Amino acid sequence: SLRMGAIHGVYQPGEAALLALEAGCHVLLMPSSLSAAFDAVVAAVEAGSFPLEKLDSIVCKVLEFKLSHGIL
């Protein structure tokens, strides 16, 4: 969870979301501000600091997992 004290007490919501994605996290669980996390990811993709291809890959992996487990 992005609300854990070690994360929430040190990083802003957007920064925490980006760091988690960069570290390989595929699901951003419980950001303290969903809008700030979303805006930070969008801004990073638009600025080119987080590749859109990497985000697409993450989304595909999550969707493939859900499909293979009958969630979709």
Side-chain angles (χ1 to χ4, degrees):
S1 165
L2 294 174
R3 290 189 185 189
M4 292 188 308
I7 297 170
H8 180 71
V10 178
Y11 301 101
Q12 295 297 316
E15 183 182 15
L18 284 172
L19 289 171
L21 287 173
E22 290 169 352
C25 183
H26 291 149
V27 177
L28 301 176
L29 183 64
M30 297 175 55
S32 58
S33 170
L34 180 57
S35 61
F38 178 83
D39 291 344
V41 172
V42 170
V45 169
E46 289 176 345
S49 59
F50 192 86
L52 179 58
E53 295 79 16
K54 185 172 182 177
L55 185 60
D56 284 343
S57 174
I58 291 169
V59 171
C60 285
K61 287 178 184 178
V62 171
L63 292 175
E64 288 170 359
F65 177 85
K66 288 183 174 190
L67 185 61
S68 71
H69 287 79
I71 299 170
L72 286 179

